């Protein structure tokens, strides 16, 4: 199972919006509405930011939003803040036998 | 508070074995799907294995036949038995609860702090 494809890095100034894409196949992203997104700061464990494509857990700011079209999911961070600087990973369910597949990861830099 | 704490990592020679533990608090391991995810140094996340509440287990191709996921209900603890270890298994290993609405799918929350496994001679 190949990793989902994410851009290596994205950047934006405080207050701007950035969007991270996550491209898979019809066997994972395109086949299920089970895409989740995780934020990871250096040396820390990942933190859930979005689940089931577009749902936000309690405690996650509403400037984080998710969507999906075909085989590509996206995470948008609106009103970028300094604390949003981190690595972000998408993840998709890919069936019982394949399990789950993560994206390659995107480093978000706040300029 | 829902919490996961991994232990058992360390330095091990190629071909060796190691068992990781993940102690849970604030919820019951046996009633949930539980998973292991790893991250090689400087690399991305890689899903390793999942155990369903009913006991079914699934593995990534990279560890199939070498790793075994299990749980001890009396200790509310998840395990990962790792045999025939290779240099490419060097990573921080995280355990995570898999939350879901349906029988399939799901998302990982929370995650433990991770334990480092280094496979080297």
């Amino acid at each position: 199972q190949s990793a989902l494809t994410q851009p290596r890095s994205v950047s934006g100034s405080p207050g701007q919006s950035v969007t991270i894409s996550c491209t898979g196949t019809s066997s994972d992203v395109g086949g299920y509405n089970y895409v989740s997104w995780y934020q990871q700061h250096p040396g820390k464990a990942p933190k859930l930011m979005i689940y089931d494509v577009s749902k936000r857990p309690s405690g996650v700011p509403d400037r984080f939003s998710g969507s999906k079209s075909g085989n590509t999911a996206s995470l948008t961070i609106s009103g970028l803040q300094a604390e949003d600087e981190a690595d972000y990973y998408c993840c998709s369910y890919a069936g019982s036998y394949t399990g789950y597949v993560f994206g390659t990861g995107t480093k978000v830099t706040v300029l | 508070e829902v919490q996961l704490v991994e232990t058992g990592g360390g330095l091990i020679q190629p071909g060796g074995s190691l068992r990781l533990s993940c102690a849970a608090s604030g919820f019951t391991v046996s009633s949930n799907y539980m998973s292991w995810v790893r991250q090689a140094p400087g690399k991305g996340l890689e899903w390793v294995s999942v155990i369903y509440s009913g006991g079914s287990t699934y593995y990534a191709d990279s560890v199939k036949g070498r790793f075994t996921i299990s749980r001890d209900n009396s200790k509310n603890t998840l395990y990962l038995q790792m045999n025939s270890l290779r240099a490419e298994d060097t990573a921080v290993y995280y355990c995570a609860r898999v939350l879901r609405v349906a029988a399939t799918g799901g998302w990982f929350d929370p995650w433990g702090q991770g334990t480092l496994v280094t496979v080297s001679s």
Side-chain angles (χ1 to χ4, degrees), chain A residues 12 16 18-19 21 38 47 66 79 86:
Chain A
Q16 289 186 330
V18 295
T19 296
S21 61
Y38 303 88
K47 174 188 174 185

Side-chain angles (χ1 to χ4, degrees), chain B residues 16 32 37 53 71 86 88 108 118:
Chain B
N32 285 268
V37 177
S53 50
R71 66 192 181 211
R86 308 165 179 166
E88 54 265 36
F108 303 100
T118 303

Side-chain angles (χ1 to χ4, degrees), chain B residues 14-36:
Chain B
S17 297
L18 205 59
R19 189 179 79 159
L20 305 182
S21 299
C22 170
S25 57
F27 72 97
T28 302
V29 166
S30 61
S31 299
N32 285 268
Y33 292 8
M34 297 293 296
S35 201
W36 289 95

Side-chain angles (χ1 to χ4, degrees), chain A residues 43-54:
Chain A
K44 301 294 187 182
K47 174 188 174 185
L48 175 71
M49 304 303 284
I50 295 288
Y51 67 97
D52 284 358
V53 175
S54 60

